[in-house]
Amino acid sequence: MLDLKFLRENVDLVRKAVADRGMEVPLDELLALDGRRRRLLADLEERRARHKKGNKRIGELVRKGEDPAALRAEMRALSDEIKALEAEADSLETAMRDILVRIPNLPHPSVPVGPDESSNQEVRRWGDPPSFAFPPLPHWEIGEQLGILDFQRGVKIAESRFTLLRGVGALLERALINFMLDLHTREHGYTEVFPPILVNEASMFATGQLPKLEAEMYRCRDDVLYLIPTAEVPVTNVHREEVLREEDLPVYYCAYTPCFRREAGSYGKDIRGLIRQHQFNKVELVKFVHPETSFDELERLTMNAEEVLRRLGLPYRVVVLSTGDLSFAASKCYDLEVWLPSYGEFKEISSCSNFTDFQARRADIRFRPAGGGKARFVHTLNGSGVAIGRTVAAILENYQREDGSVEIPEALRPYMHGLQAIEP
């Protein structure tokens, strides 16, 4: 959420930022409501001062033995006016907030301006896509032939875009989770947490999922709780409504959780296999950092996620998202895209974002400067470190062999009891 004072003083900047994102927000209406409310508050303060002074005068009249009836009647009428103005002020504040929460974060000046993903810019690549002496298969066919991915039974148990993993497939999923958690906690300095996977509305609002993305969420029927779309939600809310110490920054957390998304709409080829599931596993990285270092922290966060793909030997590229492709709460975002032979292109496997103080304002997460003074909002960052199902798909496709087997990346073998390949 943007600071109203900043918006008031930089309305043209905000207007351009919203337009660059391809969005429409009634900023003029918000400013008109803000002006009306500020005038009303000034009027309220004047009436409250008169009311306080009048009540004091009533006491003086009583002590003198004089009749304060007329003044009491005047103060009752004034009290009714104050209550009416307070109700109007509350109504104006609600109307303003309804608009304010719909205004996206401001893109960082380094973010390319463009209407959609076609304007994203490649930053770097790592690794070479494999060449095959045989027609490579898509991961869903490989997984079914190996007996490790069971899409039909996933549908039977739940519905389409749910998958049953069995045998070595389940082991591969678990191995990837443990590999990523160990890498981030032992080498990258993150503290592991295991949060609830059901969260309340306040948690969803704090990270920007509500109200904008409510249609994508799974909500419990009898409780106002949501299944998390990403561990970003509960982990960012670990410090909601808290004031941290400046000397404790930065704070790094990582978490494995299952994630749940409705994924409304058609995605063509993505509806097959593991690329766009309703339930999937992910290791998430979350940072609470000092405002002055947050964009440096974004670069480090992105490299932490990249290291997963490097250790696994999976070719990938990094792209910086344009204003039109940026998420609602992000100021800048890098996507990591892994090579998938079945698509003949790179597919997103991680998004690493700096939200500046946008989420912190919604969640009221601050830090107290070491030298004293007013508490300031932290900057929050998060990134997938990385999506497990898509990593399984990438391993199956990039490491497939002509005989139908799949080689296990060397870094993963200690987590798979020394297994070197998945055999038919």
Side-chain angles (χ1 to χ4, degrees), residues 2 5 24 28 52 104 143-144 154 282 327 331 380 393 399:
L2 300 184
K5 182 175 183 292
E24 293 183 7
D28 291 334
K52 182 177 180 180
E144 287 181 323
K282 190 150 63 82
S327 73
S331 177
T380 61
Y399 281 93

Side-chain angles (χ1 to χ4, degrees), residues 139 142 274-275 340-341 388-398:
H139 68 272
I142 298 170
L274 300 174
I275 299 303
L340 286 180
I388 306 298
R390 295 188 178 198
T391 308
V392 170
I395 289 173
L396 294 180
E397 294 197 8
N398 284 280

